[in-house]
Structures are given as C-alpha cells and as structure tokens.
C-alpha cells in the first residue's frame, strides 16, 4: 500500500467517480442535445432534468451518509486517543476546536497530538494548517 501523506490523502472510489458519474454525465449531455435537436424537445427536457436530479441525489447521498458516520468516528477516536495519552477527557475543552481542526488532528501521531491540540486552540489553526504542521503523518487509509 502506498504511504499516505498530506499530498495524497484524498481518496476516490473508482466505480463511483470514474464509471457512474461519467456515464451519468454522458447521458445528461446526450439528453440536453436531443432536447434541442429532436422532434420531441419537451420529453428530452424532462429526461435531462431527471438526469440532473439523479446526479445531485447520488452525489449528496453518497457523501452525506458516509461522512456523517466517519466524522463521528473521527471525533470518538480523537477523544479516546487524548484520554489514553493524558488520562483526561477531551470533552472538557472540545468545544474550543472546530470540526475542521478535529479532522486535521486525526493525522497527527500520538507524540505530536497534544502539542498540535494546544497550538490549534491557542493560534486558531485551520485544519489544513494542522495537517501541514504534522511532521510524521499518521495515515488514515479507511476514510471515504
């Protein structure tokens, strides 16, 4: 498996991103073409609207369900890691961290985590800034 770093941590689901979406886009383009160059423009216009609806629905649902669950898991993992390292609960000051910061902290190894949490709160670092500040990247190969 390829070593994960900041520059390659984004994942694609091949069947969805490179098969389903391109086919759906081709059908959408074809239906829009036929809406303007057919004897039945109204029917093809409705078909085009249907493809736009399917495209938006597929994208929103795929992302929505997976990301909500993963966000909860990342938050729980960070709480567990913090408790393991300090014996204290992260929930006492977790409200000071934004979701973006929490999601950036998941890539920090244990020996960098506590300092990055302090820096994130003190300097209001963005999630991207946190990721860039990580010296030894802790890969997350299971993120959708």
């Amino acid at each position: 498996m390829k070593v994960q770093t900041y520059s390659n941590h984004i994942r694609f689901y091949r069947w969805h991103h490179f098969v389903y979406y391109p086919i759906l886009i081709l059908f959408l383009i074809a239906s829009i073409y036929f809406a303007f160059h057919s004897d039945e423009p109204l029917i093809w216009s409705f078909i085009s609207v249907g493809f736009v609806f399917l495209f938006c629905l597929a994208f929103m649902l795929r992302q929505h369900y997976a990301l909500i669950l993963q966000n909860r898991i990342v938050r729980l993992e960070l709480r567990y890691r913090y408790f393991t390292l300090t014996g204290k609960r992260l929930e006492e000051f977790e409200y000071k961290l934004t979701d973006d910061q929490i999601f950036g902290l998941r890539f920090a190894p244990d020996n960098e985590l506590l300092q990055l949490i302090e820096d994130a709160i003190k300097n209001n670092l963005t999630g991207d800034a946190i990721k860039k500040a990580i010296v030894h990247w802790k890969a997350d190969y299971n993120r959708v």
Side-chain angles (χ1 to χ4, degrees), residues 17-129:
H17 288 103
F18 304 118
V19 176
Y20 176 75
Y21 281 139
I23 289 172
L24 193 59
I25 289 170
L26 287 174
F27 283 144
L28 174 61
I29 291 169
S31 64
I32 291 171
Y33 173 82
F34 286 123
F36 289 103
H37 296 92
S38 169
D39 296 334
E40 306 276 345
L42 188 60
I43 291 172
W44 283 105
S45 296
F46 281 120
I47 292 171
S48 298
V49 169
F51 280 124
V52 168
F53 177 74
L54 284 174
F55 184 82
C56 292
L57 183 66
F59 180 77
M60 290 184 319
L61 288 177
R62 181 190 70 82
Q63 289 296 105
H64 178 73
Y65 294 140
L67 291 179
I68 285 179
L69 178 60
Q70 287 181 132
N71 291 346
R72 290 181 67 186
I73 292 169
V74 166
R75 188 172 282 106
L76 288 170
E77 177 190 0
L78 187 64
R79 288 175 184 166
Y80 175 75
R81 289 177 63 204
Y82 184 81
F83 182 78
T84 302
L85 293 171
T86 65
K88 300 175 185 171
R89 295 176 60 101
L90 180 67
E91 292 93 323
E92 295 174 11
F93 61 89
E94 183 179 1
Y95 67 91
K96 295 179 182 178
L97 294 167
T98 65
D99 288 345
D100 188 44
Q101 290 171 319
I102 289 172
F103 303 146
L105 288 166
R106 80 177 182 274
F107 296 108
D110 290 345
N111 61 339
E112 298 177 36
L113 181 63
L114 300 178
Q115 184 61 46
L116 282 170
I117 289 174
E118 287 179 30
D119 289 348
I121 292 172
K122 190 184 308 178
N123 301 322
N124 198 27
L125 298 177
T126 64
D128 198 50

Side-chain angles (χ1 to χ4, degrees), residues 127-143:
D128 198 50
I130 292 169
K131 291 177 189 177
K132 289 178 181 176
I134 295 170
V135 177
H136 298 97
W137 190 270
K138 179 182 170 285
D140 181 2
Y141 294 105
N142 296 314
R143 184 91 175 154

